[in-house]
Amino acid sequence: MRTTRTAIAMVFSLVFAFPLGAQSVEKSLYKLEDDFAAAVVKRDVKTIQRLTAPKWVYSDESGVMERDAAIKTFTSGPDSVTAASNEKMRAIVYGNTAVVVGILHLKGRGPKGAFDNRYRFTDTWMEHDGHWQIIAAQDYLLPAAKH
């Protein structure tokens, strides 16, 4: 009888442990995505460096950038971002690698005046030594909503 209870307890712990672990990783990744967005507003180079892998590559409608060029664009470009938030995020976790998709909403001012843009993004993250870093990112500007 005791062996049966022990076996049942082990099965329940295995069944419920994995989804909770995955949810924890997903929540951690969503927080890191939000940290990245906040770093863009603050022009926080150190945070973006911490969140991006040394060989990080970024692409958008203007082309492909290596890590240093992308960080420079996000932190010292002509646009002044006053608000950034993520919406509709979804994480797909594959062991120590994950893909996060969502929508990044940016407001601010640039050379052409005020902007209020939404970008669909796909970020690929990898965990190394207990820390998650973005290894590749792709954004594209969504068309303005028609009212």
Side-chain angles (χ1 to χ4, degrees):
M1 186 70 146
R2 181 154 172 72
T3 304
T4 305
R5 285 184 188 170
T6 303
I8 291 171
M10 287 176 64
V11 168
F12 273 105
S13 67
L14 287 173
V15 168
F16 292 109
F18 287 109
L20 291 176
Q23 288 175 353
S24 176
V25 169
E26 291 169 358
K27 286 181 182 180
S28 295
L29 291 167
Y30 300 152
K31 165 101 171 61
L32 293 172
E33 289 284 357
D34 289 340
D35 291 348
F36 191 100
V40 170
V41 174
K42 296 175 187 171
R43 295 183 177 238
D44 183 350
V45 174
K46 289 189 185 288
T47 295
I48 295 175
Q49 287 174 332
R50 178 177 50 81
L51 294 174
T52 57
K55 294 183 181 179
W56 176 51
V57 63
Y58 171 79
S59 66
D60 65 10
E61 59 279 349
S62 68
V64 177
M65 290 178 251
E66 302 300 321
R67 182 178 190 246
D68 291 342
I71 291 172
K72 185 175 181 180
T73 298
F74 281 117
T75 60
S76 64
D79 292 343
S80 174
V81 178
T82 57
S85 61
N86 292 303
E87 306 165 1
K88 300 181 182 178
M89 286 190 284
R90 179 174 169 223
I92 303 95
V93 180
Y94 300 95
N96 74 330
T97 306
V99 175
V100 178
V101 296
I103 296 173
L104 172 64
H105 186 184
L106 296 178
K107 292 182 181 183
R109 183 167 278 299
K112 296 179 182 178
F115 61 85
D116 185 350
N117 295 332
R118 298 174 76 227
Y119 301 85
R120 176 154 317 275
F121 71 84
T122 303
D123 290 342
T124 304
W125 294 80
M126 182 176 283
E127 183 183 30
H128 182 69
D129 291 334
H131 302 303
W132 287 93
Q133 289 186 310
I134 305 172
I135 58 174
Q138 190 273 330
D139 296 341
Y140 67 87
L141 181 63
L142 292 171
K146 296 179 182 179
H147 298 285

